[in-house]
């Protein structure tokens, strides 16, 4: 039987084969480097594809359909100009990383994966 989307996602995270996707927040969130994910995962040949799409928007749609919510990162700004500029550069690089949370998708509780259903 083919795996459903959350199962494929879990296998990717646990495989250690991908640099574009990883567990974040102690295994409670999924972090995706958008640009690297497009190349590393979605740019694969037909026989090597993980998902049946080449578009990041389709993957995000699947995340939403399975109850994942996008998490915002709180970035505190400094008052001094040099620190502010370096923080802006870091924030720009950080904006390529998407964070998604689902209470039924937790590395410490793999049995909850079965409750991760499509809406």
């Amino acid at each position: 039987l083919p795996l459903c989307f959350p199962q494929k996602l879990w296998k990717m995270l646990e495989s250690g084969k991908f640099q574009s996707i990883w567990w974040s927040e102690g295994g409670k969130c999924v972090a995706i480097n958008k640009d690297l994910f497009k190349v590393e995962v979605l740019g694969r040949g037909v026989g090597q594809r993980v998902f049946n799409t080449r578009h990041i928007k389709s993957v995000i749609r699947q995340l939403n359909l399975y109850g994942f919510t996008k998490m915002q990162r709180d970035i505190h700004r400094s008052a001094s100009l040099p620190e502010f500029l370096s923080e802006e550069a870091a924030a720009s690089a950080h904006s390529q990383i998407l964070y998604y949370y689902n209470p039924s998708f937790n590395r410490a509780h793999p049995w909850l994966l079965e409750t991760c259903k499509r809406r």
Side-chain angles (χ1 to χ4, degrees), residues 22 24-26 29-31 70-77 91 94-95 97-101:
W22 62 94
S24 177
E25 305 293 326
C29 288
V30 175
K70 188 174 182 182
M71 306 295 292
Q72 298 299 325
R73 304 318 261 156
D74 293 330
I75 298 173
H76 301 286
R77 303 284 189 226
H94 200 65
S95 70
I97 301 173
L98 307 173
Y99 296 90
Y100 283 90
Y101 169 77

Side-chain angles (χ1 to χ4, degrees), residues 82-108:
E83 286 181 26
F84 178 81
L85 292 174
S86 69
E87 288 171 1
E88 280 297 304
S92 176
H94 200 65
S95 70
Q96 289 301 312
I97 301 173
L98 307 173
Y99 296 90
Y100 283 90
Y101 169 77
N102 182 324
S104 298
F105 200 86
N106 186 316
R107 188 177 199 180

Side-chain angles (χ1 to χ4, degrees), residues 5-33 63 68 73 97-113 116:
F5 178 81
Q7 292 169 327
K8 288 179 184 180
L9 194 62
W10 188 282
K11 281 188 78 161
M12 284 180 69
L13 288 161
E14 290 295 307
S15 75
K17 294 178 183 176
F18 301 93
Q19 295 179 354
S20 60
I21 185 168
W22 62 94
W23 289 107
S24 177
E25 305 293 326
K28 295 179 182 173
C29 288
V30 175
I32 302 170
N33 180 317
L63 286 165
F68 286 81
R73 304 318 261 156
I97 301 173
L98 307 173
Y99 296 90
Y100 283 90
Y101 169 77
N102 182 324
S104 298
F105 200 86
N106 186 316
R107 188 177 199 180
H109 307 292
W111 57 88
L112 289 176
L113 187 59
C116 197

Side-chain angles (χ1 to χ4, degrees), residues 40-103:
E40 183 183 48
V41 178
L42 301 177
R44 292 173 150 223
V46 177
Q48 300 175 317
R49 285 202 187 135
V50 178
F51 303 113
N52 293 331
T53 185
R54 297 185 65 102
H55 305 284
I56 190 75
K57 285 184 178 185
S58 297
V59 173
I60 291 169
R61 190 177 307 117
Q62 287 294 313
L63 286 165
N64 291 327
L65 280 171
Y66 279 93
F68 286 81
T69 54
K70 188 174 182 182
M71 306 295 292
Q72 298 299 325
R73 304 318 261 156
D74 293 330
I75 298 173
H76 301 286
R77 303 284 189 226
S78 294
S80 77
L81 183 59
E83 286 181 26
F84 178 81
L85 292 174
S86 69
E87 288 171 1
E88 280 297 304
S92 176
H94 200 65
S95 70
Q96 289 301 312
I97 301 173
L98 307 173
Y99 296 90
Y100 283 90
Y101 169 77
N102 182 324

